[in-house]
Amino acid sequence: MNSRRISIIDIGSNSIRLVIYDIQANGAYRVISEFKQSARLSGRMSMDGSLPAAEIDGIVRILQNFRGICNAHQVTSLRAVATAAIRNASNSQEIVNQLREQSGIQVELLSGEDEARIGFLGMSQTLDIADGLLIDIGGGSTEVSLFRGKKLLHSVSFPFGAVNTARRFTTDGEAPEAKLHEIRNMVLQAVASEPWIRTNAGKPVVGLGGTFRSLCKIYQRRHQYPLPITHNYPMSGEAMQELTEWLPKLPPDKRKKVDGLSKDRFDLIVPGLIIVDNLFQASGSSHCVISGAGLRDGIFYESFAAEDTSLPIAERSSDNLYKLHSTVPPAHSKHVKHSALAIYDALTAAGKHPFDPRSRLCLEIASKLYRIGVSLSYYQYAKHTFYMLAGARIDGLTHRETLLCAFIATYKTKKRLLHMWSSYREIMLDSDVELVVRLGSILQLAVALDSSETQSLHLVYAVSDDKSLRLQLQIQNDPTAEFSEVEELQKDFRKIWGLSVQLNAPSFSTI
């Protein structure tokens, strides 16, 4: 079975997007291309609520272009959906028919309930958050969903989004205080009709859509955040308040120059921000978590993904990354992971470290991915591994945990670690240096136990006391290389843990 290409088209109220995935024979998948055309359909409706013929023709041209791109990429399956702008148009069925007849693409018209459900699916498969309030601000609607235990309890689609709110209350990006007050009243009236929105006290808001991503990027640039990833970025109530007090005061010409805000959103960001702020305040939420996954991801999981969604999110995501970039025999990767976790558990049982339980997960992922840099080049592969992991979106991990995995996977010495550390000090904890040194040394030992990548040694069990870490081994082949590598690590391991490493194994014989 060969790899295949699939595509998703999202006809939104603000933009029309095409995303193309490559799905490999082993089930691994990745986005290989993404295209976006501005549409602002919610701002181009006629007085009678219909979308004019010229605007429909514009969508047709975009879809025809997207179809050509899909053909160039040899796409074999396509799913196209339309959301609020077309859904709410008085001539919605006529639009869908014309798009099919003139572009050859069958467009599925999503209801507000569909949009909320699919957006929740995309978020819940990529963020490890059990309880919260999901807010998806589009161009022509805002979907709000309450979830508990990763189950959707309530959802509603409000008929206002960043584009139609900007069209109704602002002029060329100008947003007088009186108009902002009207937006606030509109949002609060909507909240009053759905009292369950106010039941999220102490739990997070999860934010979807361009407004949330833009606010995140602005805040990250404003505070020189070192990792250019928005997914799973937490924004405190104070951070939200900072933006709410600052952005509306900027005139449109200065807003266009705000670092992190694309110029085509300068007139949308303030109306969107006011919607965000009032929903956040009304819900009583503790903080906001940005989701980089939403509707298109939900469509992918619903229609095309073949992975086992019962596995923990971080395990699935790191497995996918491994499959995309694996350059070593699977047996070696399995061997290293087994040994690393067995050693970690032995040291834990002996009370040798006070680490957070999540540190075990970070070690597991680092041991799985420590060699992915070889997919770029064997030489200096640790450097490539670090930047691949630090720049990757490993779903289910916080930004700090993602960096921990990168540091553990590429750990050599404390001196080298500290050289890299300064760039990410804002994200990491002071205690994380010691954490990386200890977990990195465990991974080094696990790799040494299969340095020939032939599984010459099998770790039956590990046990630790006050003086030593004893590894009970079974010998399968000549373990000379492994014994030599472990011996070279003895001095550093003793310095880090205060323990010698004892290898207990039957004498090896070639007879």
Side-chain angles (χ1 to χ4, degrees), residues 307-312 316:
E307 62 184 354
D308 182 0
T309 56
S310 66
L311 293 175
R316 283 192 282 115

Side-chain angles (χ1 to χ4, degrees), residues 148-170:
R148 295 290 183 265
K150 295 196 172 185
K151 301 294 183 181
L152 197 58
L153 298 185
H154 301 283
S155 65
V156 62
S157 180
F158 293 128
F160 51 78
V163 175
N164 58 6
T165 300
R167 183 189 188 193
R168 179 180 172 187
F169 295 101
T170 69

